Amino acid sequence: MDAEFALQLLVNGLTIGLIYALVASGLSLVFGILNIVNFAHGEFYMLGAMLAYFVAGTLGMSYWVTVVVVVLAAGAIGALLYDILLQRFEGSNVERGVLATLGLSMVLQNGAIFLFSTTPRLTRTEYSFKIWEFAGVTLPLTRLFAAVLSVIAFALTWWALQATQTGRAIRGVSQNREAALMVGIDPKRVSRIAVAAGIAFAGLAGAALAPVYSVHPTMGFAFVFKAFAIVIIGGLGNFQGAALAALLVGMVESFVGALASLVIADAITFATMLLVLLMRPEGLFGRGVRL
Amino acid sequence: MTASAGWTIHSIQPILRSLLALALAALALAPLLSANVYVQTLGVSACLFATMAMAFNLVYGYTGLLCFAQVAFLGIGGYTAAILVTRLGWSFWVAAPVGGLLAAIAGLVVAFSSLRLSRHSFGIATLAAALLCTIVARDWVSLTRGSMGIPGLPAPEIHLGSLDIVINNPYRFYGLSLIFAVGAIAFLHRIIHSRIGRIFVSIRENEPLAISQGIDPLRYKLLSVGLSAFVTGLCGALMVFNLTIVDPSILDFYYTETMLIMVVIGGPGHFWSVLVSSLVFSILPELLRFSTDLRLVLYGLLLIAAMLVFPKGIAGLLEKRGTDFWHKRLAAGRGQVS
Amino acid sequence: MSDICLSVRNLSKHYRGVKAVDGVSFDVMRGSITGLIGPNGSGKSTTIDCISGFTSADCGEWRVDGRVLTGTSAHQHSAAGLVRTFQNVRCYESMSVLENLRMAVVAKEGVGLWSAFLGSLRASAADEAARQHGLELLELIGLSAYAEAPSSVLSYGQRKLLSIASTMMSKPRLVILDEPVAGINPTMILRVEDAIRKLNASGVTILLCEHNMDLVMRLCDRIIVLANGQLLASGTVDEIQADKNVLEAYLGPDHMRPTS
């Protein structure tokens, strides 16, 4: 393997890893704050991509407008999701939250199949088929933007968690709900914002990948499984752990996918997850580095 | 457990029981008396779904383990039996139990690796196991022939002395499925109402208390998953030999979702109500001819509604009436009873 | 056999650098009701969690009737005759009161798959014996009217009674009662006290971890006092009541001042 090819694979892995990180850390955010594994998380990624397809493709909006519209819509849906559904399962047993979000996933996914059929659609934007070339590495612009958007989202979130009142409140609630209540944090407001952010992440991932991959109703299903694996490998509820694990999975997929096959890459991801469960149940990166 | 629903209707309970038994018997006989192939095929599917739902009920309803790997057990049972029969020329009657056994072993491995952790991890690990099986079925082409599947599975044959039966039509296959379902469900009934069944419930209800009474929870959780996987694996073997083909669609998440809805609506941890709901959910949607997507949308809505309004299913609603009855009775008798 | 039922030696448990229990040793005499008391945060709960196997101790050794239980898991403690109750009272809510009692002895019957499946005759004999025993116990604690009721209808205090009756079912060597009267009304406290005496009278040694001093003073033969994770004092009720260190630990040095 020559250096250029390796560099290309590295860049590809980084790009896809960043997007995985977006979905996985959204999942992790919701879990950290509500202690609910959101089984419908992948469907919001799918909805984000669908919406991007309509806004960019059907309405003909520009790439950046599409991204902003999708993120705002996903955030609003996230807030609604919390108010209408998730809020009622806070503090109830694990299975109720899992089954309710699984039910939601069934409704969204099969509803989308019913309305749009399973035909894959390609989203055309003004950047489609444009390529960025640097040091012998070629990268489609849409991929590059996906990676950049992901980095921006992470930087913003990181800043918000560290520097803003709400961000600190989110960290407080996810570390110790009772203590947060005692210092006067309104847990409902904080949870709503966190869920909205988590869903917005999923929507952003969908919008960013819509021009890269094809859009279809079952795309969220396969994607969220990978996100589950990533969250387990990184440590449940561990925000940075999930992001790191996502980058690892992206790399594995890029290198193993190119040198062997994507199937083997998937198998490695899931086998790693089972191994992590077996050997290091607290996740590769432990519980030390929490939100 | 099932008796607990009966306090309000204590006096008529035996009558209800016999009515239920009669209805089940009539339902079971219908495909045998009917010459309609559609009815017989529906009968086979109802038998298998009822058995799968009861096996899932054992692990989720009674033991409290939300196991998403049931569909993997189904697939492992189906593929193992199919491969053993077509490649190695084994008899169906040996290959099917081996398929069940392999499913049980897979269940034990997954459960052992994830049970020591949180209940979230158990759910996710079992889900991943199911997905891993899909990958194997679709992409390990040299073993499973990939998405083409393994077609042309031979009909199971019975040779008993001068008796030769080839189970090669829906009528005969319904007979086989019925015998299997009755046997498997009776087996599960026996387990559930034995001391082991009560230990399962005690672990679900209050694990620390069970431990303080000398019960080793891991051992019994593994037992529950293993038994459930074995029965589900057998269902898988029967299912693929009924279809005469096994392909990756046997690992479709649809089966998981259907088992879930049957158990959740019936009332996890209840026997007869889950049996009835499994029959309702295998027969009714067929009769109403819903498309699969629409059916799953409705199932999803039903699942959400159940979690919001009646998380313990129909049986849970009945049981609550029973509890209310005791509250009233105890309040009335508070004078005499201290 | 000696007269010592439970012996604990040098028990320690640290949580993130905080010494919850620090080198505690004590003995519980066979047939006694021994009180385990101490202010909040003194390490009582950690101590009983450790010696019942629910928390792993950092170091130390404990035996019941000479049998070392250190390092075995919680369910094995129970099998060895050390049974505990819980402060936040626990019962199997979907089961009837009698079934709850039945569960206390199921594990002791050695439930294998085949014994449960094939030995149905034997099981029903065991069921019948347990039922009779359970009914007797319910009579004893005054819950007979509830025998067939689902245990979810019981009040908090009644559940505490039920949990004591459950420990009687399995005829253990030692019972650790974790705050058996916390949060229940005075009438019910008397009934629980009565149940504890009956449990003790049936030959069971009791380690009573409790905040209600009146109850402890009435019931206990000997008392062990913990403070800040260490053994502060142990002795008879009179000795403990006269112990200055104990008074100080409970009331703080302030009570020595004439004004208070």
Side-chain angles (χ1 to χ4, degrees):
Chain A
M1 183 166 60
D2 59 48
E4 244 170 50
F5 186 48
L7 198 60
Q8 176 79 54
L9 291 181
L10 190 75
V11 171
N12 285 353
L14 207 61
T15 325
I16 193 68
L18 280 168
I19 294 294
Y20 283 157
L22 215 48
V23 175
S25 52
L27 197 61
S28 201
L29 196 63
V30 175
F31 176 79
I33 214 106
L34 298 179
N35 209 29
I36 292 174
V37 174
N38 179 15
F39 271 61
H41 204 73
E43 309 324 323
F44 293 103
Y45 159 75
M46 179 269 289
L47 285 183
M50 283 272 179
L51 188 60
Y53 171 80
F54 283 110
V55 174
T58 313
L59 301 180
M61 295 290 180
S62 79
Y63 181 86
W64 300 105
V65 171
T66 304
V67 166
V68 171
V69 167
V70 170
V71 168
L72 289 180
I77 290 175
L80 269 179
L81 172 73
Y82 174 76
D83 280 343
I84 295 175
L85 199 63
L86 295 185
Q87 182 193 349
R88 296 171 209 271
F89 298 106
E90 265 179 274
S92 75
N93 70 22
V94 171
E95 285 75 20
R96 272 182 80 183
V98 167
L99 290 180
T101 53
L102 183 67
L104 182 63
S105 151
M106 287 160 71
V107 171
L108 294 176
Q109 187 188 328
N110 293 291
I113 294 176
F114 185 69
L115 293 175
F116 309 113
S117 83
T118 48
T119 321
R121 296 144 201 265
L122 201 66
T123 308
R124 293 284 299 271
T125 70
E126 67 267 34
Y127 300 115
S128 295
F129 311 117
K130 289 196 177 144
I131 278 171
W132 184 67
E133 218 175 319
F134 184 78
V137 178
T138 59
L139 197 61
L141 269 188
T142 49
R143 265 183 192 259
L144 176 70
F145 289 156
V148 169
L149 282 171
S150 175
V151 170
I152 292 173
F154 271 108
L156 270 176
T157 312
W158 182 251
W159 170 79
L161 284 175
Q162 301 299 326
T164 67
Q165 195 87 36
T166 309
R168 281 195 293 264
I170 289 178
R171 285 161 61 204
V173 172
S174 76
Q175 270 152 20
N176 190 335
R177 199 170 185 88
E178 285 74 37
L181 266 175
M182 275 189 273
V183 297
I185 291 175
D186 173 8
K188 286 233 147 78
R189 192 181 142 269
V190 168
S191 303
R192 185 182 301 118
I193 292 173
V195 174
I199 301 301
F201 272 24
L204 174 61
L209 285 192
V212 179
Y213 298 137
S214 57
V215 177
H216 55 95
T218 51
M219 64 191 285
F221 190 69
F223 207 80
V224 79
F225 282 127
K226 214 161 279 172
F228 281 152
I230 288 166
V231 166
I232 292 259
I233 294 172
L236 257 180
N238 180 340
F239 190 72
Q240 292 105 319
L244 279 174
L247 288 179
L248 275 178
V249 168
M251 290 298 170
V252 166
E253 217 159 89
S254 173
F255 280 88
V256 178
L259 303 174
S261 80
L262 261 182
V263 176
I264 295 186
D266 280 354
I268 289 178
T269 302
F270 288 113
T272 309
M273 186 195 85
L274 287 179
L275 273 181
V276 166
L277 281 176
L278 211 52
M279 326 278 271
R280 263 184 81 89
E282 71 279 13
L284 273 189
F285 309 105
R287 293 220 170 91
V289 272
R290 279 216 145 199
L291 210 61
Chain B
M1 289 290 88
T2 45
S4 54
W7 283 305
T8 43
I9 42 177
H10 204 260
S11 49
I12 56 164
Q13 207 187 5
I15 305 172
L16 277 179
R17 282 247 167 117
S18 8
L19 278 178
L20 179 67
L22 268 176
L24 287 177
L27 209 58
L29 281 177
L32 290 177
L33 301 175
S34 155
N36 187 333
V37 171
Y38 176 72
V39 172
Q40 290 158 0
T41 314
L42 191 56
V44 173
S45 134
C47 283
L48 294 181
F49 266 115
T51 313
M52 279 191 270
M54 290 316 290
F56 179 55
N57 195 17
L58 180 74
V59 76
Y60 173 57
Y62 287 92
T63 322
L65 301 169
L66 187 46
C67 176
F68 287 114
Q70 300 299 112
V71 69
F73 305 147
L74 195 70
I76 291 172
Y79 267 103
T80 307
I83 288 169
L84 289 178
V85 167
T86 53
R87 297 275 173 86
L88 304 179
W90 288 27
S91 150
F92 169 79
W93 308 107
V94 183
V98 171
L101 223 53
L102 218 61
I105 291 169
L108 292 182
V109 170
V110 174
F112 183 76
S113 62
S114 56
L115 270 177
R116 300 169 303 151
L117 314 167
S118 71
R119 302 161 92 176
H120 291 115
S121 306
F122 180 74
I124 294 179
T126 50
L127 200 56
L131 210 69
L132 213 51
C133 287
T134 315
I135 293 178
V136 169
R138 213 181 36 214
D139 297 299
W140 190 342
V141 178
S142 61
L143 182 71
T144 62
R145 290 175 41 98
S147 50
M148 315 236 301
I150 305 171
L153 301 178
E157 294 172 20
I158 300 174
H159 301 289
L160 278 176
S162 59
L163 190 71
D164 289 310
I165 305 174
V166 181
I167 303 172
N168 58 358
N169 61 34
Y171 180 80
R172 288 180 188 162
F173 217 96
Y174 175 72
L176 175 63
S177 306
L178 185 63
I179 292 169
F180 166 73
V182 170
I185 291 173
F187 170 73
L188 291 171
H189 183 272
R190 190 76 196 80
I191 293 287
I192 284 164
H193 293 91
S194 73
R195 282 173 289 178
I196 291 184
R198 276 186 267 184
I199 288 176
F200 289 162
V201 173
S202 75
I203 292 169
R204 177 196 74 195
E205 291 269 292
N206 205 320
E207 194 168 325
L209 179 58
I211 293 171
S212 82
Q213 294 173 339
I215 291 164
D216 179 359
L218 184 61
R219 193 177 142 203
Y220 287 98
K221 285 178 182 174
L222 289 176
L223 181 63
S224 175
V225 173
L227 286 173
S228 178
F230 179 72
V231 172
T232 312
L234 284 178
C235 286
L238 271 175
M239 188 185 264
V240 302
F241 275 83
N242 178 43
L243 298 171
T244 71
I245 178 171
V246 58
D247 65 27
S249 70
I250 196 181
L251 288 150
D252 200 309
F253 204 55
Y254 163 79
Y255 290 112
T256 306
E257 291 166 334
T258 308
M259 279 183 250
L260 256 177
I261 205 81
M262 287 169 171
V263 171
V264 166
I265 301 301
H270 294 265
F271 193 85
W272 296 106
S273 53
V274 168
L275 186 59
V276 170
S277 107
S278 70
L279 293 175
V280 168
F281 279 102
S282 23
I283 297 170
L284 204 59
E286 287 298 330
L287 294 185
L288 299 177
R289 294 177 197 278
F290 278 135
S291 72
T292 309
D293 350 312
L294 202 56
R295 187 190 297 184
L296 287 175
V297 171
L298 289 178
Y299 284 3
L301 287 174
L302 215 48
L303 201 52
I304 298 173
M307 289 304 114
L308 286 173
V309 187
F310 55 109
K312 289 177 180 169
I314 305 284
L317 290 177
L318 292 173
E319 190 177 58
K320 194 180 165 301
R321 287 182 55 197
T323 315
D324 292 346
F325 162 80
W326 268 97
H327 274 298
K328 253 183 250 158
R329 176 167 151 184
L330 292 170
R334 194 133 284 165
Q336 305 98 302
V337 185
S338 62
Chain C
M1 270 204 275
S2 72
D3 289 338
I4 297 171
C5 179
L6 169 73
S7 85
V8 177
R9 288 290 169 273
N10 199 26
L11 180 74
S12 291
K13 175 72 183 175
H14 298 205
Y15 286 113
R16 289 184 191 161
V18 180
K19 291 176 179 175
V21 178
D22 187 15
V24 167
S25 304
F26 61 83
D27 293 322
V28 173
M29 294 300 161
R30 178 169 301 111
S32 72
I33 302 181
T34 300
L36 179 66
I37 64 172
N40 281 325
S42 58
K44 296 188 308 280
S45 293
T46 309
T47 302
I48 61 176
D49 279 351
C50 286
I51 58 182
S52 60
F54 275 79
T55 300
S56 62
D58 295 341
C59 66
E61 188 189 79
W62 57 98
R63 307 159 179 253
V64 171
D65 284 347
R67 184 170 161 193
V68 179
L69 292 178
T70 319
T72 62
S73 53
H75 66 90
Q76 287 165 322
H77 280 68
S78 165
L82 186 158
V83 172
R84 70 169 293 180
T85 65
F86 297 89
Q87 187 182 345
N88 299 317
V89 64
R90 294 170 182 276
C91 63
Y92 305 120
E93 291 202 1
S94 76
M95 298 188 196
S96 76
V97 170
L98 256 183
E99 283 174 321
N100 264 273
L101 291 177
R102 177 80 182 89
M103 285 314 296
V105 287
V106 160
K108 289 185 88 180
E109 290 164 8
V111 189
L113 187 54
W114 299 118
S115 76
F117 203 71
L118 300 172
S120 54
L121 276 178
R122 221 172 0 141
S124 62
D127 276 342
E128 192 45 40
R131 189 184 158 79
Q132 284 309 322
H133 190 198
L135 284 172
E136 282 164 26
L137 288 177
L138 289 180
E139 188 70 45
L140 205 65
I141 59 169
L143 289 180
S144 298
Y146 297 81
E148 304 290 346
S151 62
S152 59
V153 305
L154 295 185
S155 72
Y156 190 69
Q158 288 171 328
R159 288 176 195 214
K160 295 222 163 192
L161 277 176
L162 176 63
S163 67
I164 294 174
S166 290
T167 63
M168 283 192 220
M169 277 299 280
S170 59
K171 304 192 176 79
R173 297 166 193 273
L174 175 81
V175 168
I176 300 176
L177 295 174
D178 191 356
E179 309 224 355
V181 300
I184 62 178
N185 67 49
T187 333
M188 195 49 101
I189 289 180
L190 291 178
R191 288 177 66 183
V192 170
E193 181 181 345
D194 185 48
I196 295 174
R197 285 188 199 284
K198 283 169 176 160
L199 174 63
N200 185 234
S202 70
V204 176
T205 308
I206 295 172
L207 181 62
L208 173 67
C209 182
E210 181 52 61
H211 269 299
N212 184 323
M213 281 310 131
D214 290 340
L215 182 77
V216 171
M217 298 304 165
R218 285 202 302 271
L219 272 174
C220 294
D221 310 311
R222 295 182 65 82
I223 294 176
I224 297 157
V225 189
L226 296 182
N228 299 320
Q230 291 178 326
L231 187 73
L232 187 68
S234 77
T236 63
V237 172
D238 293 336
E239 285 165 7
I240 295 300
Q241 277 176 331
D243 194 309
K244 269 193 183 150
N245 287 333
V246 174
L247 286 172
E248 206 164 298
Y250 259 93
L251 305 171
D254 284 357
H255 85 284
M256 298 298 217
R257 286 186 202 147
T259 46
S260 65

